[in-house]
Amino acid sequence: MPYEPPTHTVERSLRATTGAKIIAGVDEVGRGAWAGPVTVCAAITGLRRPPAGLTDSKLLTVKRRTELAAELQQWVTSYALGHASPEEIDDLGMTAALRLAAVRALETLPVRPDAVILDGKHDYLGAPWKVRTVIKGDRSCVAVAAASVLAKVQRDKMMAELGIDHADFGFADNAGYPSPVHKAALEVRGPTPYHRLSWAYLDALPQWRHLKKARSWAEGSVPEIEGQLGFDF
């Protein structure tokens, strides 16, 4: 399906209205997975023409996404990745875990951005970072699209490596997201050390429900696990 290529429109707007010179695009992957970390990439691209075919990582084939990530690693001005572990997700909730991973990525960049373009409608980053949220920013903004591809390819690689000792779960194919293979393995073997144990899927597994962790974060303000998938899918 044809799609409009991303542009520097938001970045140019930020430069004009705020005086920001160094702007990072930020995107996450792994928010809705049952297992593995949530991963955030921060990418700085400047205003150069991006590689052909750059868009939201979810719109790309695995082969093209992998090729593009290798190209982006050489093309971007700089990029960095941050992760929050399943244990941190369980302890802090997803919103705080996303912020932790994003801060880790941003603080690893060789230069501190003057502003951040954050994919989505919710600012999970907050002060002291100057944030512009953009719905579907991974399709419309060059830096966010680059971050999307780099984050997805890196996390998929991590999940494949984690899955070597847990072949029944199919992590190399599903990256810790729900799938029939993943569901079947959970029913028989229970969660691995890489699973998020505060999540709702355990409610549908009576033999493993005793492993579920109680949520320790405050509920009722921000939805902490936005988009969390239940066991029925």
Side-chain angles (χ1 to χ4, degrees):
M1 179 179 296
Y3 51 83
E4 291 293 324
T7 69
H8 294 295
T9 300
V10 176
E11 189 167 335
R12 293 182 189 277
S13 173
L14 282 170
R15 287 172 176 245
T17 59
T18 70
K21 295 181 179 179
I22 301 172
I23 300 171
V26 170
D27 198 16
E28 57 78 24
V29 64
R31 184 188 305 217
W34 290 352
V38 63
T39 296
V40 174
C41 181
I44 299 173
T45 66
L47 299 178
R48 294 171 297 144
R49 181 187 298 273
L54 178 63
T55 188
D56 172 12
S57 65
K58 296 185 292 296
L59 300 179
L60 301 169
T61 65
V62 173
K63 181 177 183 294
R64 179 56 186 141
R65 189 165 57 226
T66 303
E67 294 171 346
L68 190 55
E71 190 174 352
L72 286 169
Q73 288 173 0
Q74 304 302 318
W75 177 80
V76 298
T77 302
S78 60
Y79 79 97
L81 294 153
H83 311 279
S85 69
E87 294 82 7
E88 289 170 327
I89 293 169
D90 287 334
D91 290 343
L92 302 173
M94 182 53 77
T95 300
L98 279 169
R99 185 177 194 278
L100 183 63
V103 169
R104 286 170 174 166
L106 288 163
E107 291 186 342
T108 304
L109 289 170
V111 292
R112 185 181 178 90
D114 301 315
V116 172
I117 304 172
L118 187 63
D119 181 54
K121 63 181 179 179
H122 298 298
D123 177 8
Y124 57 76
L125 190 54
W129 304 94
K130 296 179 180 179
V131 176
R132 172 78 60 85
T133 58
V134 178
I135 296 172
K136 297 188 183 299
D138 49 7
R139 299 189 189 189
S140 61
C141 301
V142 169
V144 180
S148 169
V149 172
L150 290 166
K152 173 64 174 168
V153 170
Q154 178 61 29
R155 187 179 182 279
D156 283 357
K157 180 181 177 182
M158 291 174 60
M159 292 306 300
E161 292 171 351
L162 292 179
I164 291 173
D165 294 331
H166 303 277
D168 290 352
F169 288 83
F171 287 162
D173 296 318
N174 60 49
Y177 283 84
S179 72
V181 169
H182 192 168
K183 178 180 179 180
L186 271 170
E187 289 178 324
V188 174
R189 299 188 178 279
T192 70
Y194 310 116
H195 276 85
R196 304 167 187 181
L197 298 181
S198 60
W199 281 48
Y201 68 84
L202 279 172
D203 294 334
L205 297 170
Q207 68 273 43
W208 306 112
R209 196 178 298 154
H210 65 285
L211 298 175
K212 188 173 182 181
K213 290 185 178 180
R215 298 180 181 180
S216 59
W217 60 91
E219 297 192 41
S221 53
V222 177
E224 292 291 352
I225 305 181
E226 180 183 336
Q228 180 184 160
L229 299 174
F231 204 69
D232 295 326
F233 56 90

